[in-house]
Amino acid sequence: MKQRALADRQVGAIGLGGMPMSIEGRPDEARSIATVRAALDAGVTLIDTADAYHRDANEVGHNETLIAKALASYGGDTSHVVVATKGGHLRPGDGSWTRNGDPAYLKAAAKASAQRLGVDAIGLYQFHRPDPEVPYAESVGALAELLDEGVIQRAGISNATVAQIDEANEVLGGRLVSVQNQFSPAFLSSRGELDHCAELGIAFLPWSPLGGIKSAGDLGGRHAAFATVAQAHGVSPQQVALAWELSLADVVLPIPGASRPASIQDSVQAADLELTDDELEQLGSAAG
C-alpha cells in the first residue's frame, strides 16, 4: 500500500477504525479479529481505537483489548503497526457519550490504555473531544506531560477547530502530529481544519470517512457522482470516496471503520485508485 507520513513514521495511506467492532451491533469476537488480520494482510499499519469504544458500562477499553488480542495472535511482525487510541470521551452504558478533559483523568486514562494495549508507550494518543468544563490548554497539557514522561510516543487531538489546533500545537511545543475530525462526502464542515493541517504538515485523520456506520453502505445512492465514477473504474463508491479524500492533501489518512474482512479489503484498494482531474472535480462538486 502507498505510504503517508504520521510525524516520523510512514504508515499505510488507509487505516482501520476499530469502533464498529465494539459498540452496539458489534459482531462476534472471531469476526472482529479476522477483520484486523485482513487489514494487516492488506498492508494497514495504522489502527485507530479509543477507551470509549465499548457498549456496556463495565467494559471500558473493549476495543483496545480486542485490537491488542488481534495483534498478539497475528503470527507475523506487527512492530511497524501504529495503534492510535484516545481518551477524554466516556460512555456510561446507556448509549450516551460524556466528556472528561481533566488533566489528571487523561493521564490516568492513557496509562490504563497502555496497559490494555500491552505497550510500554502508546504509538499515538489523542484527546478525544474538548470538554467545555475544562480549559482546552489544560487538557492538552496532560498530553505534553505524557510525552515528556514517555507514556506516549506521539500526541494528537480530535474533534478540534482551527483555533484549537493552533492552541494545542503551542501547548505541545510544536509536537502535535495529528488531528482526527469527522469528514466525508456528506460532512465537509471540517475542510478548513483539513486545509490548516496541510499547511502545518500535520496528519489529518477523517473519522466516518464513508459517512458513518448507518450510511456507508448507501454512499453511492446518496452521492450519485461517486457511484458513476465507481462504475467507470469497476470499483465500489466507497473506494472512490476514500481516493477522493486522499487527493485533497498529502496529510490525509482516512480511517474507515470496519467489522468485516471484506469491508477493509475493499477500502485499502483506494490507496492505489487513480482518479482523473475531471473526476476529482466532479466529485468535489457533488460532495456535501
Side-chain angles (χ1 to χ4, degrees), residues 30 40 126 128 175:
L40 297 171
Q126 304 153 99
H128 203 156
R175 295 180 292 176

Side-chain angles (χ1 to χ4, degrees), residues 31-32 34-36 38-39 258-266:
R31 196 177 90 184
S32 291
T35 300
V36 176
S259 61
R260 295 183 299 116
S263 296
I264 191 61
Q265 288 166 340
D266 182 75

Side-chain angles (χ1 to χ4, degrees), residues 69-88:
K69 183 175 182 178
L71 290 172
S73 64
Y74 178 59
D77 180 20
T78 58
S79 61
H80 57 299
V81 176
V82 176
V83 177
T85 191
K86 299 180 287 294

Side-chain angles (χ1 to χ4, degrees), residues 125-147:
Y125 193 71
Q126 304 153 99
F127 179 34
H128 203 156
R129 187 176 288 273
D131 181 351
E133 302 299 321
V134 181
Y136 195 65
E138 292 184 13
S139 298
V140 177
L143 272 62
E145 293 179 14
L146 289 165
L147 279 171

Side-chain angles (χ1 to χ4, degrees), residues 162-259:
V162 168
Q164 287 168 335
I165 292 171
D166 288 339
E167 184 176 8
N169 202 28
E170 182 178 355
V171 172
L172 291 166
R175 295 180 292 176
L176 179 68
V177 307
S178 67
V179 174
Q180 184 178 146
N181 276 17
Q182 184 176 7
F183 186 85
S184 71
F187 192 94
L188 303 177
S189 63
S190 287
R191 182 59 191 265
E193 287 76 22
L194 187 160
D195 292 340
H196 194 55
C197 285
E199 293 172 2
L200 297 174
I202 293 171
F204 183 86
L205 282 56
W207 63 263
S208 289
L210 301 176
I213 294 173
K214 295 181 180 179
S215 302
D218 192 37
L219 190 149
R222 294 170 181 265
H223 305 277
F226 288 82
T228 300
V229 172
Q231 186 173 16
H233 286 267
V235 301
S236 69
Q238 291 78 13
Q239 268 189 56
V240 172
L242 294 171
W244 169 70
E245 290 167 24
L246 287 169
S247 77
L248 298 177
D250 290 340
V251 299
V252 175
L253 284 164
I255 46 172
S259 61

Side-chain angles (χ1 to χ4, degrees), residues 19-33:
M19 187 174 76
M21 303 178 204
S22 292
I23 63 168
E24 293 80 357
R26 66 193 185 197
D28 59 56
E29 184 178 280
R31 196 177 90 184
S32 291
I33 290 179

